Amino acid sequence: MDSDSPMRSEADGQVPDIPTETTIEPPQGFTEDGSDEAVMADVTVMPDRSAGAAAARQPAAMWIGAAAELAGTFLICSMIYLIYSLCGAVLGLNVILVALTTVLVYAGVTAMLGRVSGGHFNPAVTVAAMFTSQTGWLEGLVYIVAQMIGAIAAGGVLAILPTSGSVPAETWLAFSVNGFGKASPSSPYLAKSGLTFGVSMAVVTELMACLLVVGTAVATMRRNGRPRHGHALYMGLAYGAGVFLTYLVTGSGLNPARSTGVAVFAHFKKSSVDPLGQLWIFWICPLLAAAIVGLFCIIADMLKESARSAASDPLQGSVGFSEEPDGSDQVFDQDAQEGEGDPRVDPAEGAAGESTTVEGYQSQGIHGRHAA
């Protein structure tokens, strides 16, 4: 708006005296080109030191996160191996007790270390986070390696379980090793009726449970991979619900690292059914669930962006030009024009010569840009 145009005062309805010419001292870095038409800017753009510092810290943060993933996976897997083995061998099949302890273990460890790494502790969760760009690809691969190391180390904890001629290691491992058919925890009970949980039942139940776990993980993580409020509790509940569905069928894999760690240990104990031969199902189902969740999130984001673009007014949020009666032009924000009056001059502040906002930039003592 031309600075010569009248503006009425809200107090007395009179036209205040507004200076028609404002002298501006160019700040450092600005030079005048000798004419009265414009003030040209000669600005030196300084490098963003904060971004450089963040980039320098990124490798360190990645390795710290990997260490947290290793420690967290070790704690989760070792406790699950021991609890499942002890409860099964001493108390028999008790799905409620196993599910409750699973909720507490995952929720507790995620609450303890989740803020450091994001609280994955599961290669399937990490892969889904990589698909949704919540975790970088290099960082994700490092996390998966750390999770596998932690899980395999946790398998060695089972060596502390006592064994004898009547209670061999296979008795303990029967309730913590993942498998189907004769390797299912409920196989001794179903054999009396001539039934068995085959590969089809194992695939369906594991895939459904993994979809729940991975979907909950992605939904409760921010775009930068940090956990949202309540992430630990939701993850514990998701794993607990997955155990209810899968424990009697497969011993509840839900996590490729958890399945691999105990399978490696049981392989060297010469179990009747080699768990490494059935391990493929406990990798394919979680990774397939991660791919499905990641694809769903990508499609959902594309649809939201398309709907947002179609519903928005092409003039809103854009920068346009308003032609003044005297031929001068000014740049202004269309969103602000739809709001409270003319955004180019604030009547409360423009009259006092304090500030004027143009496209979100505030300049002191400037009532407008006008050409001579």
Side-chain angles (χ1 to χ4, degrees):
M1 181 181 293
D2 196 342
S3 58
D4 292 334
S5 60
M7 294 185 299
R8 294 192 175 275
S9 172
E10 295 181 358
D12 53 12
Q14 300 298 321
V15 179
D17 293 329
I18 302 175
T20 59
E21 184 175 355
T22 304
T23 302
I24 308 171
E25 288 294 332
Q28 185 178 2
F30 286 79
T31 59
E32 262 187 90
D33 62 356
S35 65
D36 296 328
E37 293 187 1
V39 176
M40 305 299 294
D42 183 11
V43 183
T44 302
V45 179
M46 300 301 293
D48 188 352
R49 296 184 178 180
S50 61
R57 290 193 302 267
Q58 185 176 0
M62 180 181 70
W63 292 114
I64 293 174
E69 287 291 313
L70 190 153
T73 306
F74 173 81
L75 289 174
I76 289 172
C77 291
S78 59
M79 286 189 285
I80 283 179
Y81 298 158
L82 290 175
I83 291 172
Y84 283 24
S85 297
L86 292 172
C87 290
V90 177
L91 302 176
L93 287 179
N94 191 326
V95 180
I96 295 178
L97 180 59
V98 168
L100 179 60
T101 55
T102 303
V103 171
L104 297 177
V105 167
Y106 272 101
V109 175
T110 304
M112 180 173 61
L113 297 173
R115 292 186 178 273
V116 180
S117 64
H120 299 185
F121 313 124
N122 185 335
V125 172
T126 303
V127 170
M130 292 159 67
F131 277 127
T132 56
S133 299
Q134 293 172 308
T135 299
W137 288 94
L138 176 60
E139 184 180 24
L141 293 175
V142 173
Y143 277 16
I144 291 173
V145 172
Q147 292 159 3
M148 296 305 302
I149 294 174
I152 294 175
V157 175
L158 292 172
I160 67 175
L161 293 173
T163 58
S164 65
S166 58
V167 183
E170 187 176 357
T171 302
W172 299 104
L173 296 175
F175 299 96
S176 57
V177 171
N178 297 132
F180 55 89
K182 292 183 179 180
S184 172
S186 59
S187 176
Y189 304 91
L190 294 175
K192 299 175 182 179
S193 303
L195 300 176
T196 184
F197 289 132
V199 63
S200 299
M201 186 72 175
V203 169
V204 171
T205 55
E206 282 288 328
L207 181 59
M208 292 175 61
C210 289
L211 284 171
L212 175 63
V213 169
V214 176
T216 301
V218 171
T220 55
M221 283 193 297
R222 305 181 189 276
R223 289 193 175 274
N224 61 359
R226 299 299 94 185
R228 296 181 184 273
H229 180 71
H231 173 76
L233 176 61
Y234 293 136
M235 289 306 300
L237 294 175
Y239 278 106
V243 168
F244 267 115
L245 177 63
T246 61
Y247 183 70
L248 294 178
V249 181
T250 64
S252 298
L254 312 179
N255 183 340
R258 170 257 189 274
S259 301
T260 303
V262 69
V264 171
F265 180 80
H267 172 74
F268 291 103
K269 293 298 180 179
K270 307 297 182 181
S271 299
S272 58
V273 178
D274 187 3
L276 291 180
Q278 297 183 344
L279 186 60
W280 61 271
I281 193 174
F282 301 102
W283 274 92
I284 290 180
C285 290
L287 294 182
L288 180 59
I292 293 173
V293 171
L295 182 61
F296 175 82
C297 292
I298 292 172
I299 294 175
D301 288 342
M302 293 174 61
L303 293 176
K304 286 180 182 179
E305 185 64 27
S306 178
R308 189 181 299 113
S309 300
S312 63
D313 188 339
L315 294 179
Q316 292 183 358
S318 62
V319 176
F321 289 88
S322 174
E323 215 175 279
E324 297 296 334
D326 61 352
S328 62
D329 56 9
Q330 291 182 328
V331 183
F332 61 93
D333 190 344
Q334 293 284 357
D335 283 337
Q337 188 183 31
E338 297 293 333
E340 301 178 358
D342 192 343
R344 295 165 288 178
V345 179
D346 187 347
E349 297 182 356
E354 292 179 0
S355 64
T356 300
T357 302
V358 179
E359 285 190 70
Y361 293 94
Q362 192 172 26
S363 54
Q364 298 297 326
I366 303 175
H367 295 282
R369 178 171 65 86
H370 43 94

Coordinates of all heavy atoms in Angstrom, one line a residue, residues 97-129:
L97 N 0.3 -66.2 31.9 CA 1.5 -65.8 32.6 C 2.6 -65.4 31.6 O 3.3 -64.4 31.8 CB 2.0 -66.9 33.5 CG 3.3 -66.7 34.3 CD1 3.1 -65.5 35.2 CD2 3.6 -67.9 35.1
V98 N 2.7 -66.1 30.5 CA 3.7 -65.8 29.5 C 3.4 -64.5 28.8 O 4.3 -63.7 28.6 CB 3.8 -67.0 28.5 CG1 4.6 -66.5 27.3 CG2 4.4 -68.2 29.1
A99 N 2.2 -64.2 28.5 CA 1.8 -63.0 27.8 C 2.0 -61.8 28.7 O 2.5 -60.7 28.3 CB 0.4 -63.0 27.4
L100 N 1.7 -61.9 30.0 CA 1.9 -60.8 31.0 C 3.3 -60.5 31.1 O 3.7 -59.3 31.1 CB 1.3 -61.2 32.3 CG 1.4 -60.2 33.4 CD1 0.7 -58.9 33.0 CD2 0.8 -60.7 34.7
T101 N 4.2 -61.5 31.3 CA 5.6 -61.2 31.4 C 6.2 -60.6 30.1 O 7.1 -59.8 30.2 CB 6.4 -62.5 31.7 OG1 6.1 -63.5 30.7 CG2 6.0 -63.1 33.1
T102 N 5.7 -61.0 29.0 CA 6.1 -60.4 27.7 C 5.8 -58.9 27.7 O 6.6 -58.1 27.2 CB 5.5 -61.1 26.5 OG1 5.8 -62.5 26.6 CG2 6.0 -60.5 25.2
V103 N 4.6 -58.6 28.1 CA 4.2 -57.2 28.2 C 5.2 -56.4 29.0 O 5.6 -55.3 28.7 CB 2.8 -57.0 28.7 CG1 2.4 -55.5 28.9 CG2 1.8 -57.6 27.7
L104 N 5.4 -56.9 30.2 CA 6.3 -56.2 31.2 C 7.7 -56.1 30.7 O 8.4 -55.0 30.8 CB 6.3 -56.9 32.5 CG 4.9 -56.9 33.2 CD1 5.0 -57.7 34.5 CD2 4.4 -55.5 33.5
V105 N 8.2 -57.1 30.0 CA 9.6 -57.1 29.6 C 9.8 -56.1 28.4 O 10.7 -55.2 28.5 CB 10.0 -58.5 29.1 CG1 11.4 -58.5 28.3 CG2 10.2 -59.5 30.3
Y106 N 9.0 -56.2 27.4 CA 9.1 -55.3 26.3 C 8.8 -53.8 26.7 O 9.5 -52.9 26.3 CB 8.2 -55.7 25.1 CG 8.8 -56.6 24.2 CD1 8.5 -58.0 24.3 CD2 9.7 -56.2 23.2 CE1 9.0 -58.9 23.4 CE2 10.2 -57.1 22.3 CZ 9.9 -58.5 22.4 OH 10.5 -59.4 21.5
A107 N 7.8 -53.6 27.5 CA 7.5 -52.2 27.9 C 8.6 -51.7 28.8 O 9.0 -50.5 28.7 CB 6.1 -52.2 28.7
G108 N 9.1 -52.5 29.7 CA 10.2 -52.0 30.6 C 11.4 -51.6 29.9 O 12.0 -50.5 30.1
V109 N 11.9 -52.5 29.0 CA 13.2 -52.2 28.3 C 13.0 -51.1 27.3 O 13.9 -50.2 27.1 CB 13.6 -53.5 27.6 CG1 14.9 -53.2 26.7 CG2 14.0 -54.6 28.6
T110 N 11.8 -51.0 26.6 CA 11.6 -49.9 25.7 C 11.5 -48.6 26.4 O 12.0 -47.6 25.9 CB 10.3 -50.2 24.9 OG1 10.3 -51.4 24.3 CG2 10.0 -49.1 23.9
A111 N 10.9 -48.6 27.6 CA 10.9 -47.3 28.4 C 12.3 -46.9 28.8 O 12.6 -45.7 28.9 CB 9.9 -47.5 29.6
M112 N 13.1 -47.9 29.1 CA 14.5 -47.6 29.6 C 15.4 -47.1 28.5 O 16.2 -46.1 28.7 CB 15.0 -48.8 30.2 CG 16.4 -48.7 30.8 SD 17.0 -50.1 31.7 CE 16.9 -51.4 30.5
L113 N 15.3 -47.7 27.3 CA 16.3 -47.4 26.3 C 15.7 -46.8 25.0 O 16.4 -46.5 24.0 CB 17.1 -48.7 25.9 CG 17.9 -49.3 27.0 CD1 18.5 -50.6 26.5 CD2 19.1 -48.3 27.4
G114 N 14.4 -46.7 25.0 CA 13.7 -46.2 23.8 C 14.1 -44.8 23.3 O 14.2 -44.5 22.1
R115 N 14.4 -43.9 24.3 CA 14.7 -42.5 23.9 C 16.1 -42.5 23.3 O 16.5 -41.5 22.7 CB 14.7 -41.7 25.2 CG 13.3 -41.4 25.7 CD 13.2 -40.4 26.8 NE 11.9 -40.2 27.3 CZ 11.1 -39.3 26.7 NH1 11.5 -38.5 25.7 NH2 9.8 -39.1 27.2
V116 N 16.9 -43.5 23.5 CA 18.3 -43.5 22.9 C 18.3 -43.9 21.5 O 18.9 -43.3 20.6 CB 19.2 -44.4 23.8 CG1 20.6 -44.4 23.2 CG2 19.2 -44.0 25.2
S117 N 17.6 -45.0 21.2 CA 17.6 -45.5 19.8 C 16.3 -45.5 19.1 O 16.2 -45.8 17.9 CB 18.1 -47.0 19.9 OG 17.2 -47.8 20.6
G118 N 15.2 -45.2 19.8 CA 13.9 -45.3 19.2 C 13.1 -46.5 19.7 O 11.9 -46.7 19.5
G119 N 13.8 -47.5 20.3 CA 13.2 -48.6 20.9 C 12.7 -49.6 19.9 O 11.6 -50.1 20.0
H120 N 13.5 -50.1 18.9 CA 13.1 -51.1 18.0 C 13.2 -52.5 18.6 O 12.2 -53.1 18.7 CB 14.0 -51.0 16.7 CG 13.9 -49.7 16.0 ND1 14.6 -49.5 14.8 CD2 13.3 -48.5 16.3 CE1 14.3 -48.2 14.4 NE2 13.6 -47.6 15.3
F121 N 14.5 -52.9 18.8 CA 14.8 -54.2 19.4 C 14.2 -55.4 18.6 O 13.9 -56.5 19.1 CB 14.3 -54.3 20.9 CG 14.6 -53.1 21.7 CD1 13.7 -52.4 22.3 CD2 16.0 -52.7 21.8 CE1 14.0 -51.3 23.1 CE2 16.3 -51.6 22.6 CZ 15.3 -50.9 23.2
N122 N 14.0 -55.1 17.3 CA 13.3 -56.1 16.4 C 13.7 -55.7 15.0 O 13.3 -54.6 14.6 CB 11.8 -56.0 16.7 CG 11.0 -57.1 15.9 OD1 11.5 -57.6 14.9 ND2 9.9 -57.5 16.4
P123 N 14.3 -56.6 14.3 CA 14.7 -56.3 12.9 C 13.5 -55.9 12.0 O 13.6 -55.1 11.1 CB 15.3 -57.6 12.4 CG 15.9 -58.2 13.6 CD 14.9 -57.9 14.7
A124 N 12.3 -56.5 12.3 CA 11.1 -56.2 11.4 C 10.7 -54.7 11.7 O 10.3 -54.0 10.7 CB 10.0 -57.1 11.8
V125 N 10.8 -54.3 12.9 CA 10.4 -52.9 13.2 C 11.4 -51.9 12.6 O 11.0 -50.9 12.0 CB 10.4 -52.7 14.8 CG1 10.2 -51.2 15.1 CG2 9.3 -53.5 15.4
T126 N 12.7 -52.3 12.6 CA 13.7 -51.5 11.9 C 13.5 -51.4 10.4 O 13.6 -50.3 9.8 CB 15.1 -52.0 12.3 OG1 15.3 -52.1 13.7 CG2 16.2 -51.1 11.7
V127 N 13.2 -52.5 9.8 CA 12.9 -52.5 8.4 C 11.7 -51.6 8.0 O 11.8 -50.9 7.0 CB 12.7 -54.0 7.9 CG1 12.2 -53.9 6.4 CG2 14.0 -54.7 8.0
A128 N 10.7 -51.7 8.8 CA 9.5 -50.9 8.5 C 9.8 -49.4 8.7 O 9.4 -48.6 7.9 CB 8.4 -51.3 9.5
A129 N 10.6 -49.1 9.7 CA 11.1 -47.7 10.0 C 11.9 -47.2 8.8 O 11.9 -46.0 8.5 CB 11.8 -47.6 11.3

